[in-house]
Amino acid sequence: MLEEELPRLCVLPVGRVLFPGQVSSYAVGKRASVALIDHLLARIGASVGRLSEQAARSSEPLLALALAREKGADAPVHATGTTACLLEVRSVQLAGRPASDAAVYVVVVQGVVRVALGREVSRAPFLEMSGAAVDEDASIERPIAAAYGLALKSLCADWFRALRAPATSALGDVAGALKQLGAVIHAA
């Protein structure tokens, strides 16, 4: 279920999913992505470095991160992303590259809310899309999500134990863990 329509979002294609509340850093080096970060910094009146709390909050309704699709796909990113606050932007100089080359940034962001991305508004100089906030409560109940999380945590622990065990018993342990996860999912 969709809630409020958001303004044009500057979409940063990334290789790792960002969840609401999560703080993560991303290397930004493609020209379009560097242009996006430069645009955001100019728009909120900030410069490279740690952003003030006010600047970070003002970046949230403008920026969304979404998992990038493979080259040749119909859309450049997946249909669901996360709006984010830009917390810090660090400029990185790569060894062996002249300072005049395109900048490379490391950005630190914090996820705010899931967003369903709509139509592409622009691809140049960076990706902009329409979007609407996703009502998380309508998609899955919190106790069920918690049960999935606990089951996944248990499954991962079982897999790590299985990887440390001798090769003959490892497959049986993983198969047993998968059966347990299936039982938890069907019970929910």
Side-chain angles (χ1 to χ4, degrees):
M1 173 179 255
L2 299 179
E3 281 184 349
E4 63 180 287
E5 184 75 20
L6 297 172
R8 290 167 54 145
L9 294 167
C10 301
V11 180
L12 180 62
V14 293
R16 293 184 329 270
V17 175
L18 178 71
F19 294 100
Q22 178 184 0
V23 175
S24 190
S25 62
Y26 295 89
V28 176
K30 293 184 179 176
R31 285 199 172 141
S33 298
V34 169
L36 183 153
I37 298 302
D38 289 339
H39 169 79
L40 283 177
L41 289 173
R43 189 156 176 194
I44 62 177
S47 59
V48 173
R50 179 173 229 104
L51 276 65
S52 69
E53 194 172 318
Q54 180 181 5
R57 270 185 278 140
S58 66
S59 70
E60 184 262 321
L62 306 173
L63 174 65
L65 279 71
L67 194 60
R69 289 193 181 266
E70 294 180 9
K71 286 187 178 185
D74 291 341
V77 294
H78 287 265
T80 303
T82 303
T83 61
C85 286
L86 191 59
L87 302 176
E88 185 175 349
V89 178
R90 288 176 268 161
S91 182
V92 178
Q93 180 62 40
L94 298 177
R97 290 181 70 182
S100 61
D101 276 1
V104 175
Y105 293 128
V106 173
V107 297
V108 180
V109 295
Q110 181 172 16
V112 178
V113 68
R114 301 297 286 166
V115 63
L117 297 170
R119 65 179 178 78
E120 255 182 61
V121 177
S122 170
R123 275 202 193 193
F126 49 83
L127 181 61
E128 289 183 283
M129 298 179 82
S130 64
V134 174
D135 181 2
E136 294 289 339
D137 292 333
S139 60
I140 188 168
E141 294 179 17
R142 294 195 190 279
I144 294 173
Y148 285 141
L150 290 173
L152 185 58
K153 179 181 176 185
S154 174
L155 175 64
C156 289
D158 289 344
W159 280 352
F160 285 118
R161 276 193 297 278
L163 290 173
R164 289 191 302 256
T168 56
S169 67
L171 290 178
D173 290 347
V174 172
L178 287 173
K179 285 180 185 176
Q180 289 174 353
L181 179 61
V184 169
I185 290 172
H186 290 306

